[in-house]
Amino acid sequence: MFDSDLRHYLKAAQGDEPPARFTDPRWGETEALARRLIETSAAEAALRALEQEPARKKRWDLLLLAGLLQQGLGERSLSLDALEVVADKLLAADDREGVLALLPHFLDPEPSGSAVRFLHYVAKGAADEEERIERLREAVGIRPGDATLHREISEALERVGDMDAAREHRLRALELTIEAGVIEGLGETLLRVIEEDLAHGPGRVARILLRYAARADWSDVEPLLELALPELEAKARGTITWDDLAPIGPKFPGRAAARAIAARLLGIVVAKEPHPETILEGSGIADPSIPFDQVAARLPKILQLPPGAYVTHQSWGLGRVLASDGESLTLELPGRSGHKMSFAMASRSLDRLPPDGLRVLAIEDEARARALADEGSAEVLVRVLRDVGGVATQAQLKPRLEAALPGYDWSAYWKQAKDSWKADPRIDSSEGYRGNFRLAAEGSAAASVTLPRLGPRAPAAGLNLIKKFLREHPEEEHALKEEVGAMVARWADDSRLDVPGRAQALCYAAGWHALAADAARASLEALIGEGLRPDDVALGLNQDQLLDLAHGAEGEERFLWRAVESRLPRLRERGRARLRALLGDGRYAKTVEQQIARSGEETGLATRLIEHFTAKPADPGAPSKETLLVATIRLLERELPEGVPERLLVLVAEGGVFDARFGGSPPDAEASDAIERTVVHWAGSERRLVPILEFLHRNGLGPIADEYERRRKARAQGLLEGKSTEDVETQFVLMTRGTYDRLQEDLKRMALELKTSIPAAIEKARQLGDLRENAEYEAAKQRQANAAVRIQELMKTIQHARLIENMEIDPSRVGVGTEARLAPLDQDAAPMTLWILGEGDNALGPGILSYRAPLARPLLGKGAGAEVAIPTIEGPRRYRIESIRKRLPGDPA
């Protein structure tokens, strides 16, 4: 008999499909019906009835019913197929509650592959970081090879301050990304790994860099290796192998500098060998004249049985390698001094002893080995574990210990050494009670924690100490706040601290509830008035804390706009969202327009707004594309901080955002007029103008670009009358030999600084502590970036320089290489003598102008007797050109 409830249920499914919602009464009705049908053994009949429904594969309610019934019958695969469609509909409708309701079906009794997608979705909408981390961990457990999951859980862990766990997932994401062959855009990530993670896992970081190097272009690899090598040589000795290094061999150019890098890397590989320098010399790796394939063929043989290595022969006993060239060995064996053996024979008959094992120590320094055993030192256990490959039971270790020091009472050692090996971070003794031991993973720590002692009159040092302590021992934060919370609360208003320092103290004090909410907000208001920006505190958790604390504070809007200017996308997004809520959509949109219009005052904020709204034109408050384009062009005419012009030029470049937005069509008339006024009277860098002119040609505003070109050519014609000056203006930079030589010296000096003093400053700053909250480190890195940009500018200028001394000068007209005497026509003006030279020549002395200077432009091309208007601070002043003469450096004044 057909179930009446099912009949009514199917009848209700004849209309259009309702939106998929967990809160829809139909959901509860479906679950109740499925339970009853399963309990009454009517599930199979119900599924047959469902098969007759035309909408059974489309409607979410019928799919949900089918999935629940199939699950009740034990048909999990069919059940998940149906439920996955329902979950996808819920996901498309952004019904997180519904996805959560279905999620257990995909996880129990064992996770399905599709569970990862739904866990990822649930994690993105988590109410707090703890839930997000839990969901992402479940997803990673199902799909451990997903780089995106590792990257996202790393970011979440970093936000909650679990830096060690965050580092593990960050490195794993990077490893998986490189293994997948995706290497584009990894430069910044690898820089961070070198700067922040190398010290915690040098061997792992070294392997990541080498895997990247095997896939990337050498030009991208070389600077990273040069930056990392000093730290790797200090901390990664012996943690990488020839197998790690060999794949990048074909990438090394046939230059001495590149092979020197290869030799340094090999030095790290063989650093713990008995005679590393002998191996390096014998390999020929540093010699560019030796093909790398020859080095690669020789080295594995040398490394298998290197000079100085201890070996055992089944018949002849313990011996040592005296020399090896990869083809044959010279050995020291009992009764066989200087014995020669081919490498093929040696590889079959000799076993090498680990150089850092206990048996080698007993051979080379038996007294020290016995002393360590007498002391109950964990070093003995570490070394014997190295002898057996890193993992062994106590029973397996016993014969190895006896072979190293025959006759020694090892039972006494085990009793005495117990506390020692428990505290040694090199040993994983988690199963020591079972007699199982292993060498711990690199970077493990096991030590008692002592709270730092802070001086109340040394707040800066105290805050630095707190940061270091919490980075290493976050689990002790509760104990620390009980000890120093009141002191840190006083530091939030301590004038001895700068604004970022007081903000950091405020974050600690507010987070520890050592300050009342009103007092904390008052402190923040004072800091905002002194120019505090969210970026001034380095930890993401503290940045979010400051934004939360600013809610309702005086100056909140100002602080939020500073967040919008942040270098961190997360802060920018939070700032925009809060401003929309604070101002309302209409006022927010109007204020965005105003902020962009005031680009000359707040170039950083205007740039961030332009970048955001060009990328996301549908976002609330987005200005028109014409407004953004005009603002971009006007910004590019101004003096801007380093790096900002390059970001803006990307927008107007061929194939860039504005090309896509305008699609080859011109902006509206008002925007076109504004662009014309800016471009035709351009007063900024001509280098930035070139991409703008190209953009205008591509998008229907070619006449504006042509008009600028016409005016530019007219100016160029007056530069050197009677000469072809078009190329001079567009391709060359005019300057005197003295300035050219000075720029050459500047280039040499800055290149030297980039290789010597700047890396030294970075290393010195790195030793001060947490790189994310280290002002000295940030300053040194900024200095490095500035130097790199300046070097590129100098190289380009020098490459296009043309010397004035080599040009033919026309002394009848004002131009490059002439001196003009000007008589005032206005009563309040004074006579002037102006000497027109090239770019940078004003440094040669007073009264010297570049031919590109605004003051020189009215004069160029004019003859004696001409009247000109010279721009001054007080306004234009009228002059007559009294005389003109040719004058070059070295000519008398």
Side-chain angles (χ1 to χ4, degrees), residues 451-452 454 469-470 476-488 508 511-514:
L451 295 177
L454 306 181
F469 178 80
L470 290 178
E476 296 293 331
E477 185 169 7
H478 179 76
L480 182 64
K481 77 176 182 179
E482 294 296 325
E483 183 78 14
V484 302
M487 183 191 307
V488 173
Y508 286 135
W512 295 343
H513 303 292

Side-chain angles (χ1 to χ4, degrees), residues 275 278 306-309 320-324 329-333 337-339:
H275 302 302
T278 304
R320 194 173 191 182
V321 179
L322 298 178
S324 173
L329 286 75
T330 303
L331 302 168
E332 181 72 31
L333 292 165
S337 180
H339 182 75

Side-chain angles (χ1 to χ4, degrees), residues 197-334:
D197 302 332
L198 194 155
H200 298 274
R204 187 176 186 183
V205 171
R207 287 187 290 274
I208 287 173
L209 288 173
L210 292 178
R211 289 169 190 165
Y212 172 77
R215 293 169 170 82
D217 292 332
W218 179 251
S219 59
D220 295 328
V221 170
E222 187 171 12
L224 289 172
L225 292 177
E226 287 183 336
L227 178 64
L229 269 170
E231 194 84 353
L232 292 175
E233 288 171 327
K235 297 180 178 177
R237 300 170 69 253
T239 60
I240 56 175
T241 67
W242 170 246
D243 289 339
D244 297 319
L245 177 57
I248 70 171
K251 293 291 183 74
F252 288 115
R255 295 186 283 105
R259 292 296 283 269
I261 292 175
R264 291 176 69 183
L265 289 169
L266 181 58
I268 296 170
V269 171
V270 302
K272 293 188 177 181
E273 296 293 350
H275 302 302
E277 293 301 326
T278 304
I279 297 174
L280 284 171
E281 183 179 354
S283 70
I285 195 168
D287 187 351
S289 67
I290 299 177
F292 200 92
D293 56 353
Q294 293 183 20
V295 176
R298 182 187 307 169
L299 256 172
K301 299 177 182 178
I302 297 176
L303 293 176
Q304 185 175 337
L305 295 168
Y310 285 96
V311 295
T312 57
H313 188 280
Q314 189 172 6
S315 301
W316 301 332
L318 182 66
R320 194 173 191 182
V321 179
L322 298 178
S324 173
D325 60 4
E327 299 300 326
S328 63
L329 286 75
T330 303
L331 302 168
E332 181 72 31
L333 292 165

Side-chain angles (χ1 to χ4, degrees), residues 554-634:
E554 183 180 345
E556 177 185 7
E557 182 181 346
R558 193 182 339 160
F559 193 59
L560 292 174
W561 283 117
R562 291 171 186 168
V564 172
E565 191 182 343
S566 170
R567 66 183 184 277
L568 302 174
R570 175 182 53 80
L571 279 185
R572 298 199 294 271
E573 179 57 38
R574 280 206 65 187
R576 288 190 297 268
R578 285 273 297 278
L579 282 165
R580 289 199 302 272
L582 180 67
L583 302 176
D585 286 345
R587 188 175 162 212
Y588 171 70
K590 184 177 180 181
T591 309
V592 167
E593 293 258 13
Q594 292 171 347
Q595 295 288 3
I596 291 177
R598 292 200 299 266
S599 59
E601 303 169 22
E602 295 285 349
T603 57
L605 176 58
T607 300
R608 290 296 186 193
L609 290 171
I610 290 169
E611 287 178 315
H612 174 74
F613 287 115
T614 51
K616 298 184 178 180
D619 266 19
S624 68
K625 61 184 180 182
E626 286 82 5
T627 297
L628 294 170
L629 175 62
V630 171
T632 300
I633 292 174
R634 286 176 173 170

Side-chain angles (χ1 to χ4, degrees), residues 35 117 130 139 186 284 293 324 335 405 407 409 439 441 473 579 612 625 756 786 856 892:
R35 281 194 299 270
R117 188 155 49 88
E130 285 71 22
L186 292 184
D293 56 353
S324 173
L405 291 176
D409 184 2
L439 292 174
H473 306 291
L579 282 165
H612 174 74
K625 61 184 180 182
T756 56
N786 293 345

Side-chain angles (χ1 to χ4, degrees), residues 680-699:
V680 170
H681 302 287
W682 188 262
S685 166
E686 294 182 5
R687 185 176 57 200
R688 297 181 199 163
L689 181 59
V690 172
I692 295 173
L693 297 176
E694 294 172 351
F695 170 83
L696 298 180
H697 279 296
R698 292 195 303 274
N699 291 278

Side-chain angles (χ1 to χ4, degrees), residues 381-690:
L381 182 55
V382 170
R383 285 180 172 269
V384 76
L385 281 169
R386 290 171 181 159
D387 278 341
V388 296
V391 181
T393 65
Q394 188 170 347
Q396 291 169 333
L397 293 173
K398 183 178 178 180
R400 297 282 185 158
L401 291 167
E402 292 175 345
L405 291 176
Y408 190 82
D409 184 2
W410 289 107
S411 58
Y413 168 79
W414 284 110
K415 292 177 183 178
Q416 186 180 2
K418 187 173 183 180
D419 291 338
S420 175
W421 51 253
K422 277 186 176 180
D424 196 304
R426 296 173 295 175
I427 301 172
D428 179 359
S429 56
S430 58
E431 291 187 354
Y433 63 95
R434 296 173 57 187
N436 297 332
F437 299 91
R438 69 179 65 242
L439 292 174
E442 183 183 15
S444 300
S448 58
V449 178
T450 302
L451 295 177
R453 299 180 63 181
L454 306 181
R457 297 184 180 180
L463 286 173
N464 192 40
L465 194 57
I466 289 173
K467 294 172 191 175
K468 291 180 179 179
F469 178 80
L470 290 178
R471 185 180 66 243
E472 298 299 329
H473 306 291
E475 74 283 356
E476 296 293 331
E477 185 169 7
H478 179 76
L480 182 64
K481 77 176 182 179
E482 294 296 325
E483 183 78 14
V484 302
M487 183 191 307
V488 173
R490 292 193 294 273
W491 289 348
D493 296 312
D494 195 320
S495 60
R496 290 171 295 187
L497 285 169
D498 59 12
V499 168
R502 286 157 55 197
Q504 185 62 67
L506 175 61
C507 289
Y508 286 135
W512 295 343
H513 303 292
L515 268 179
D518 290 343
R521 188 169 290 107
S523 294
L524 179 58
E525 288 172 351
L527 291 170
I528 293 173
E530 294 181 50
L532 176 68
R533 296 175 176 271
D535 279 350
D536 287 344
V537 292
L539 288 178
L541 195 63
N542 294 152
Q543 293 161 350
D544 289 329
Q545 189 179 1
L546 287 176
L547 285 180
D548 292 338
L549 189 58
H551 188 71
E554 183 180 345
E556 177 185 7
E557 182 181 346
R558 193 182 339 160
F559 193 59
L560 292 174
W561 283 117
R562 291 171 186 168
V564 172
E565 191 182 343
S566 170
R567 66 183 184 277
L568 302 174
R570 175 182 53 80
L571 279 185
R572 298 199 294 271
E573 179 57 38
R574 280 206 65 187
R576 288 190 297 268
R578 285 273 297 278
L579 282 165
R580 289 199 302 272
L582 180 67
L583 302 176
D585 286 345
R587 188 175 162 212
Y588 171 70
K590 184 177 180 181
T591 309
V592 167
E593 293 258 13
Q594 292 171 347
Q595 295 288 3
I596 291 177
R598 292 200 299 266
S599 59
E601 303 169 22
E602 295 285 349
T603 57
L605 176 58
T607 300
R608 290 296 186 193
L609 290 171
I610 290 169
E611 287 178 315
H612 174 74
F613 287 115
T614 51
K616 298 184 178 180
D619 266 19
S624 68
K625 61 184 180 182
E626 286 82 5
T627 297
L628 294 170
L629 175 62
V630 171
T632 300
I633 292 174
R634 286 176 173 170
L635 267 175
L636 284 167
E637 188 183 17
R638 299 181 178 276
E639 289 294 328
L640 297 172
E642 290 185 7
V644 172
E646 290 74 15
R647 287 157 44 199
L648 292 172
L649 287 171
V650 168
L651 304 179
V652 297
E654 186 172 5
V657 172
F658 283 129
D659 270 4
R661 295 287 301 278
F662 287 95
S665 300
D668 61 29
E670 183 179 352
S672 297
D673 288 344
I675 292 170
E676 182 173 10
R677 288 193 299 272
T678 303
V679 170
V680 170
H681 302 287
W682 188 262
S685 166
E686 294 182 5
R687 185 176 57 200
R688 297 181 199 163
L689 181 59
V690 172

